[in-house]
């Protein structure tokens, strides 16, 4: 059976120096398992039906994960606030507020410490997880990002982070959790639970896994905000690099399943009315409507659009400032915190928790204003209207440090869950002074910027919404008080401020617009939200990238954008390819395979034969043949010609450095023949090039043409396949025919999925170095390939839309002249090549 693959496994054929210090230099294995078995129509229909069942199960499980997180967050938060509130009320009269502060510190530090410990168990569980999932869906695998241990640490850690009073949200981690569920559930196996094995060898191709992860991420958004359509658009806009029409229905169905699963259980638990579906998501914005007694009030008018545009500009500036400060903090952590022992990360998290708790307590006690409560039907700027307000909003008013019939506006924002504080800003009129809102915004902005990036599971959506809502509410108060615009509805401005700030931070447009519309259940807000988000994105993009893209870049992940710049079409495939190749022959000795695998980190290798023609003899005879051969030689790009051109264009390099650079990866000393071949392999001193002829090993005397001799391309083979062949003893002796070599079935080749054996764990004493391996039955004989003259934009579109990992560059006579990997298509690499192109003109 020929195990052909359209998309090759992890990493690339050539090392990339810019990323060699990073752990994210791997891409996803994508064997098309299903195409290896002949399928009739009934089997294909059953296969598709099982996919729909899996998608539904992913949605249900993601909703249950959201229910678990929400239930325990509410439980721990209510317990903490009940104890602290009773303590504060007693100590306000007795003068023991320091004891109340210590109690609050005890709760918060304990919860944050537990969250940090869970991150120590699985470091990839830190943060929101959206950058990592974005990388996965783009085609780069972050190690451990979709493991069972990750989702356990993520779900438990985020509930401790939120309950610990940190300015973080649980919505971002919900997206990561849903993606992990999508990646693991259809596999029916886990590395953490190796003893539990099911014979279910389906959905193991990269295409299926990526589709399920896309569905899980969308289900996470849908469960977090009660926005199934917004979740689908989020997966399309921010996540998946490769999309198809059939996937849209599946992702939407999965999002619907997650939303209604969470809604069903939350409504039943909280209201006791099972099947009523009253709580669609973890974060609900409530109903926006004007008071019936206020005839001048409108949710928004055409005049307000001008203010919304200005708020979008300010929101973009604030978001760019937030991203800039957070980027500097992240760089500082990478230089000074991460290299140190892991305990230092825990101490940093505890320091942030300590600072946040003290600031919240002191600000509520010192900076808060005691405002009068009123039960009248009309509410002014300094009274609170209790009529017509929802019970949740009304019950979240805090009277800390204030006498009877008054409440503390700063404590109402700080001593409540973030969702309750957002509802306060959206739905209470005239309850917060401009000074309180300004101070709250500055404190929350600073602390949330410091918090995002510490070693705890943390989301950014809710802190950004709350910070922006305070900004929007401040604008509404100023317009009412100083300009006299009585028709303004403060809740609308708070919502637009939240959208402006969140859009300035994450730079999302269509998906965020739909998420906010679904969360408010008010379609009339579509136009102002869309305009505000567009203006915020354009303003922020003028200064820097979105927060998720910044953290992706800081990790050095070779993320591919949606398209290349127009200027890049001045380059061809030959300008960006890598001509230095490590390759294998169709029939290669075990000693060469072991040497190649042990001395390189590449995860796929071209299968080639040398092109040894006798063209000079033909050129002596027929003139027509001679002219045709001359034309072929003048028009066909070769590896040697491309390398010579690059060497000549690098005038800044001294000749010695140039020689060393051109000669890297090539052994300069031939090992003595009498030395044991097995010992050579163990010491990794054997030349990485396959050796058909002992007298033709690479040496210092080789010319450029000899070193980059023509190679006829036959296919690609994966590292995992080569190691599997060595482990299974698939080979034949020199005295036998290649037909005597054992043949492995597809089930045997994929038996070690998803963790294939490593060459460094292989017992070399069990191998005979002189035996030969025929790799042709297992290679991919027909991968995608491009001509050396192909425009970079065409290369990029082919590479990205087809989900490739390795793209051979093959000339007109079938000779491989280079390899293109995702590193060769990153923005930084293309910019460098374009500068070299201009210098050579």
């Amino acid at each position: 059976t020929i195990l052909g693959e359209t998309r090759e496994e992890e990493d690339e054929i050539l090392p990339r120096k810019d990323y060699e210090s990073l752990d994210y230099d791997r891409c996803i294995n994508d064997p098309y398992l299903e195409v290896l078995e002949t399928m009739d129509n009934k089997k294909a229909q059953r296969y598709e039906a099982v996919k729909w069942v899996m998608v539904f199960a992913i949605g249900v499980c993601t909703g249950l994960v959201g229910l678990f997180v929400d239930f325990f967050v509410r439980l721990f938060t209510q317990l903490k606030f009940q104890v602290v509130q009773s303590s504060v009320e007693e100590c306000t009269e007795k003068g023991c507020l320091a004891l109340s502060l210590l109690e609050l510190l005890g709760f918060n530090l304990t919860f944050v410490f537990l969250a940090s410990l869970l991150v120590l168990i699985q470091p990839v569980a830190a943060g929101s997880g959206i950058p990592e999932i974005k990388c996965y869906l783009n085609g780069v695998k972050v190690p451990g990002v979709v493991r069972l241990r990750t989702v356990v640490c993520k779900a438990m850690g985020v509930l401790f982070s939120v309950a610990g009073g940190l300015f973080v949200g649980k919505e971002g981690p919900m997206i990561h959790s849903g993606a992990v569920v999508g990646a693991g559930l259809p596999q029916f196996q886990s590395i953490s639970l190796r003893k539990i094995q099911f014979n279910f060898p389906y959905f193991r191709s990269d295409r299926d896994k990526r589709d399920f992860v896309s569905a899980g991420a969308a289900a996470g958004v849908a469960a977090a905000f009660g926005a199934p359509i917004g979740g689908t658009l989020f997966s399309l806009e921010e996540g998946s690099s490769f999309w198809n029409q059939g996937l849209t229905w599946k992702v939407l169905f999965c999002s619907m399943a997650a939303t209604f699963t969470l809604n069903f259980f939350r409504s039943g638990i909280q209201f006791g009315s099972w099947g009523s579906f009253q709580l669609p998501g973890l974060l609900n914005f409530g109903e926006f409507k004007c008071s019936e007694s206020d005839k001048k009030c409108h949710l928004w008018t055409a005049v307000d659009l001008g203010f919304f545009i200005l708020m979008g500009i300010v929101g973009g500036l604030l978001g760019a400032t937030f991203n800039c400060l957070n980027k500097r903090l992240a760089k500082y952590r990478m230089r000074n915190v991460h290299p140190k022992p892991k305990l230092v990360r825990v101490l940093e998290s505890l320091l942030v928790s300590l600072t946040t708790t003290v600031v919240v307590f002191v600000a509520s006690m010192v900076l808060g204003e005691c405002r009068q409560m009123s039960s009248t039907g009309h509410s002014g700027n300094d009274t609170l209207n209790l009529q017509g307000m929802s019970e949740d909003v009304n019950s979240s008013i805090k009277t800390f440090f204030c006498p009877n019939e008054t409440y503390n506006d700063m404590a109402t924002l700080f001593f409540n869950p973030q969702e309750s504080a957002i509802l306060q800003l959206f739905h209470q009129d005239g309850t917060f002074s401009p000074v309180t809102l300004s101070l709250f915004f500055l404190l929350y902005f600073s602390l949330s910027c410091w918090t995002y990036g510490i070693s705890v599971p943390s989301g950014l959506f809710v802190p950004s919404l709350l910070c922006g809502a305070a900004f929007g509410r401040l604008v509404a108060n100023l317009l009412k008080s100083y300009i006299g615009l009585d028709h303004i509805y403060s809740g609308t401005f708070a919502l637009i401020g939240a959208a402006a700030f969140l859009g300035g931070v994450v730079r999302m447009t269509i998906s965020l617009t739909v998420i906010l519309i679904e969360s408010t259940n008010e379609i009339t807000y579509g136009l102002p939200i869309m305009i505000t988000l567009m203006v915020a994105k354009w303003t922020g993009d003028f200064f820097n990238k979105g927060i998720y893209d910044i953290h992706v870049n800081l990790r050095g992940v070779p993320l591919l954008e949606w398209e290349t710049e127009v200027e890049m079409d001045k380059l061809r495939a030959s300008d960006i390819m890598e001509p230095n190749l490590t390759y294998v022959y169709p029939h290669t000795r075990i000693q060469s395979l072991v040497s190649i695998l042990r001395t390189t980190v590449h995860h796929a290798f071209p299968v080639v034969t040398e092109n040894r023609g006798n063209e000079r003899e033909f050129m002596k005879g027929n003139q027509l043949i001679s002219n045709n051969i001359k034309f072929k030689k003048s028009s066909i790009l070769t590896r040697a010609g491309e390398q010579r051109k690059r060497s000549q264009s690098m005038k800044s390099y001294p000749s010695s450095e140039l020689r060393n650079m051109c000669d890297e990866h090539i052994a300069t000393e031939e090992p003595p023949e009498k030395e044991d071949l097995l010992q050579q392999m163990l010491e990794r001193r054997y030349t990485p090039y396959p050796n058909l002829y002992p007298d033709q090993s690479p040496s210092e005397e080789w010319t450029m043409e000899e070193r980059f001799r023509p190679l006829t391309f036959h296919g690609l083979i994966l590292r995992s396949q080569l190691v599997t062949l060595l482990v299974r003893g698939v080979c034949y002796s020199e005295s036998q025919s290649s037909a005597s070599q054992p043949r492995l079935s597809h089930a045997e080749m994929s038996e070690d999925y998803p963790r294939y054996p490593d060459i460094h764990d292989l017992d070399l004493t069990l191998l005979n170095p002189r035996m030969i391996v025929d790799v042709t039955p297992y290679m991919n004989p027909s991968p995608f390939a491009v001509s050396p003259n192909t425009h970079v934009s065409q290369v990029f579109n082919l590479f990205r839309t087809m989900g490739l990992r390795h793209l051979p560059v093959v000339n007109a006579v079938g000779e491989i002249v280079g390899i293109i990997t995702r590193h060769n298509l990153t923005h930084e690499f293309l910019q460098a090549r374009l500068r070299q192109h201009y210098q050579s003109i």
Side-chain angles (χ1 to χ4, degrees):
T1 303
I2 295 180
L3 299 181
E5 297 187 5
T6 304
R7 306 167 191 200
E8 284 68 40
E9 190 189 349
E10 307 175 349
D11 213 327
E12 63 282 342
I13 294 176
L14 297 159
R16 175 72 174 145
K17 293 189 180 69
D18 297 348
Y19 304 95
E20 63 185 3
S21 61
L22 300 169
D23 295 327
Y24 300 91
D25 218 6
R26 300 181 180 179
C27 302
I28 303 171
N29 178 28
D30 187 14
Y32 283 110
L33 305 183
E34 65 271 15
V35 302
L36 300 174
E37 178 185 358
T38 303
M39 278 185 156
D40 55 20
N41 289 334
K42 291 185 178 179
K43 283 186 177 180
Q45 291 174 358
R46 287 198 298 267
Y47 186 78
E48 188 68 17
V50 174
K51 271 190 177 181
W52 281 94
V53 173
M54 289 292 106
V55 165
F56 177 76
I58 291 170
V60 172
C61 292
T62 302
L64 294 177
V65 172
L67 179 69
F68 168 81
V69 173
D70 180 70
F71 176 80
F72 283 99
V73 165
R74 288 178 177 273
L75 179 64
F76 293 154
T77 304
Q78 289 177 1
L79 175 63
K80 181 183 71 173
F81 281 142
Q82 285 177 0
V83 174
V84 173
Q85 183 172 353
S86 60
S87 176
V88 168
E89 291 174 353
E90 291 181 7
C91 291
T92 301
E93 301 175 357
K94 299 180 181 179
C96 58
L97 289 176
L99 181 60
S100 301
L101 176 60
L102 290 177
E103 289 181 353
L104 184 61
L105 281 172
F107 276 106
N108 288 348
L109 292 177
T110 300
F111 288 144
V112 173
F113 178 72
L114 293 175
S116 298
L117 287 184
L118 290 169
V119 171
L120 291 184
I121 297 174
Q122 189 69 4
V124 77
S128 65
I130 294 179
E132 289 80 5
I133 295 302
K134 185 175 181 179
C135 294
Y136 188 97
L137 295 177
N138 189 263
V140 181
K141 182 179 179 182
V142 181
V145 71
V146 289
R147 291 188 59 181
L148 176 63
R149 184 188 302 174
T150 302
V151 71
V152 173
C153 294
K154 195 85 172 186
M156 296 184 64
V158 71
L159 67 89
F160 287 127
S161 298
V162 176
L166 293 176
F167 292 165
V168 299
K170 53 182 179 290
E171 284 68 23
M174 272 301 303
I175 299 172
H176 189 182
S177 300
V180 178
V181 173
L185 187 62
Q187 304 298 309
F188 284 95
Q189 66 177 9
S190 171
I191 296 176
S192 303
L193 303 174
R194 290 191 178 96
K195 295 183 179 179
I196 302 178
Q197 293 287 341
F198 293 94
N199 186 18
F200 194 77
Y202 306 103
F203 308 130
R204 291 182 177 180
S205 71
D206 179 45
R207 170 177 290 178
D208 287 338
K209 289 176 66 176
R210 188 176 59 243
D211 289 351
F212 285 131
V213 171
S214 299
V221 177
F225 296 97
I229 301 176
T232 304
L233 294 176
F234 173 86
S235 188
L236 172 61
E237 180 184 10
E238 282 293 306
S240 297
S241 301
F242 327 107
W243 198 267
N244 58 72
Q245 184 179 10
L247 179 61
T248 306
W249 272 109
K250 293 184 180 69
V251 171
L252 181 60
F253 180 64
C254 184
S255 301
M256 289 287 186
T259 300
F260 285 100
T261 298
L262 183 63
N263 198 343
F264 175 79
F265 285 101
R266 286 192 70 203
S267 300
I269 293 174
Q270 190 162 340
F271 298 106
S273 55
W274 296 91
S276 59
F277 299 104
Q278 302 179 47
L279 298 173
L282 300 180
L283 178 63
N284 301 305
F285 292 160
E287 183 181 2
F288 288 78
K289 63 179 181 179
C290 293
S291 174
E292 296 179 359
S293 60
D294 191 356
K295 302 299 182 181
K296 297 182 180 179
C297 174
H298 301 283
L299 289 182
W300 68 278
T301 63
V303 177
D304 296 336
L305 283 177
F307 296 112
F308 296 159
I309 293 174
L310 294 177
M311 291 175 66
I313 295 174
V314 176
L317 294 174
L318 292 174
T321 304
F322 183 96
N323 293 353
C324 179
L325 295 175
N326 190 263
K327 181 179 180 180
R328 292 179 179 272
L329 284 170
K331 287 184 175 180
Y332 177 83
R333 290 188 177 106
M334 293 174 68
R335 289 193 302 263
N336 302 288
V337 177
H338 294 173
K340 295 183 179 180
K342 293 182 179 180
L343 181 62
V344 177
R345 304 186 191 184
V346 178
L347 294 178
E348 183 197 17
S349 302
L350 294 177
L351 176 62
V352 173
S353 176
L354 174 65
T355 305
T356 302
T357 304
V358 172
V359 168
V360 166
F361 193 89
V362 174
S364 300
M365 182 174 61
V366 178
L367 303 178
E369 294 186 14
C370 294
R371 305 177 69 81
Q372 186 70 33
M373 284 191 278
S374 173
S375 59
T376 60
H378 177 73
S379 62
N381 287 335
D382 54 359
T383 59
L384 173 63
N385 181 13
L386 299 180
Q387 291 185 354
M389 296 172 57
S390 67
E391 184 178 350
D392 289 340
V393 176
N394 195 17
S395 62
S396 60
I397 297 171
K398 301 300 180 184
T399 59
F400 291 170
F401 319 114
C402 289
N404 294 333
E405 300 300 325
T406 61
Y407 68 96
N408 189 322
D409 58 352
M410 186 71 80
T412 299
L413 295 176
F414 272 135
F415 274 90
N416 267 314
Q418 296 174 100
E419 291 81 359
S420 299
I422 290 175
L423 291 177
Q424 289 281 346
L425 292 169
F426 282 174
H427 299 295
Q428 287 199 20
D429 192 19
T431 60
F432 305 101
S433 68
V435 176
T436 297
L437 290 172
S438 301
L439 293 173
F440 175 80
F441 175 81
L442 292 175
L443 292 174
Y444 211 93
F445 181 95
S446 304
L447 289 174
S448 60
C449 183
W450 185 22
T451 303
Y452 187 72
I454 63 175
S455 294
V456 296
S458 57
L460 195 61
F461 273 91
V462 171
S464 298
L465 287 172
L466 181 53
C467 202
F471 158 67
R473 190 61 182 265
L474 174 62
V475 173
N477 285 6
L478 294 178
L479 291 178
K480 279 186 175 182
S481 302
Y482 297 99
I483 301 183
L485 299 179
D486 296 333
H487 73 279
I488 285 179
Y489 181 62
S490 300
T492 299
F493 275 77
L495 176 64
I496 295 301
F501 187 81
L502 181 58
V505 171
V506 301
R507 312 289 164 80
M508 292 162 52
T509 52
I510 180 172
S511 59
L512 188 56
T513 299
V514 177
I515 287 172
L516 294 177
I517 291 175
E518 289 185 282
S519 299
T520 57
N521 200 24
E522 183 60 58
I523 191 62
T524 59
Y525 280 145
L527 180 63
I529 290 175
M530 182 176 65
I531 292 177
T532 303
L533 288 174
M534 289 174 59
V535 173
K537 174 179 170 56
W538 291 340
T539 304
D541 285 343
F542 186 78
F543 297 97
N544 51 35
K545 294 184 178 182
I547 188 68
Y548 301 134
D549 291 327
I550 287 176
H551 280 265
V552 167
N553 291 336
L554 288 176
R555 289 168 169 83
V557 178
L559 198 72
L560 298 185
E561 303 295 337
W562 283 101
E563 58 187 8
T564 60
E565 299 175 0
V566 177
E567 192 178 22
M568 295 303 172
D569 260 350
K570 296 179 181 179
L571 300 175
R572 299 292 190 270
S574 58
D575 296 320
I576 65 173
M577 71 180 186
E578 179 54 62
N580 287 282
L581 303 176
T582 302
Y583 49 85
V584 299
Y585 291 113
H587 299 260
T588 309
R589 295 191 188 277
I590 285 181
Q591 66 187 49
S592 294
L593 288 181
V594 173
S595 178
I596 290 171
L597 295 172
R598 290 181 69 93
T599 56
T600 64
V601 294
H602 317 320
H603 285 257
F605 304 91
V607 181
V608 302
T609 54
E610 295 185 15
N611 188 1
R612 298 174 178 270
N614 53 349
E615 294 175 345
R616 291 184 180 180
E617 298 180 5
F618 285 102
M619 292 179 68
K620 296 177 182 178
N622 192 303
Q623 183 66 29
L624 180 62
I625 296 177
S626 177
N627 289 337
N628 287 334
I629 292 176
K630 288 179 180 179
F631 171 77
K632 184 191 78 169
K633 289 190 173 182
S634 62
S635 62
I636 293 177
L637 180 71
T638 62
R639 295 196 303 137
E642 177 64 23
Q643 187 66 15
R644 183 186 296 107
K645 183 183 71 173
R646 295 187 181 186
S647 302
Q648 291 173 352
S649 65
M650 304 175 68
K651 299 176 182 179
S652 60
Y653 285 90
S655 58
S656 61
E657 293 185 17
L658 180 60
R659 181 178 181 182
N660 291 336
M661 187 185 65
C662 293
D663 293 348
E664 71 177 331
H665 304 306
I666 297 179
T668 58
E669 182 177 351
E670 201 173 330
E673 293 184 3
K674 62 181 181 179
E675 201 172 336
D676 183 41
L677 292 174
L678 180 59
Q679 187 64 28
Q680 295 173 19
M681 293 190 292
L682 290 172
E683 295 178 1
R684 306 185 198 179
R685 291 196 292 107
Y686 194 83
T687 172
Y689 289 96
N691 218 0
L692 289 186
Y693 308 97
D695 59 336
Q696 295 180 2
S697 298
S699 64
E700 288 286 347
E701 290 74 25
W702 274 29
T703 63
M704 186 74 74
E705 282 75 11
E706 291 173 327
R707 202 177 292 281
F708 291 90
R709 56 193 180 278
L711 301 171
T712 301
F713 180 66
H714 298 285
L716 286 172
I717 189 164
L718 305 181
R719 167 182 287 266
S720 60
Q721 293 174 334
L722 290 177
V723 177
T724 301
L725 294 177
L726 293 176
V727 171
R728 306 281 181 179
V730 178
C731 58
Y732 67 94
S733 66
E734 203 164 2
S735 60
Q736 295 176 322
S737 169
S738 60
S740 63
Q741 175 177 287
R743 292 297 181 96
L744 296 183
S745 65
H746 175 262
E748 292 173 320
M749 286 292 292
S750 59
E751 186 176 338
D752 296 317
Y753 175 88
R755 288 292 182 270
Y756 292 98
D758 188 79
I759 187 63
H760 299 291
D761 300 329
L762 185 63
D763 186 2
L764 300 182
T765 59
L766 302 178
L767 301 177
N768 183 353
R770 305 302 300 177
M771 296 289 282
I772 302 172
V773 179
D774 180 8
V775 303
T776 54
Y778 309 98
M779 70 180 184
N780 176 12
S782 55
F784 285 97
V786 293
S787 165
N789 296 320
T790 308
H791 287 275
V792 162
S793 61
Q794 294 175 282
V795 174
F796 189 91
N797 291 334
L798 175 64
F799 197 95
R800 198 177 193 281
T801 55
M802 298 309 299
L804 304 182
R805 295 298 170 264
H806 312 97
L807 186 59
V809 182
V810 181
N811 64 17
V813 293
E815 296 170 356
I816 184 169
V817 293
I819 285 287
I820 295 175
T821 66
R822 68 171 36 245
H823 288 299
N824 302 109
L825 294 172
T826 57
H827 179 73
E828 295 78 11
F829 186 87
L830 292 179
Q831 287 286 353
R833 288 300 187 200
L834 189 62
R835 287 193 295 268
Q836 291 182 10
H837 174 75
Y838 284 139
Q839 292 173 3
S840 61
I841 295 177

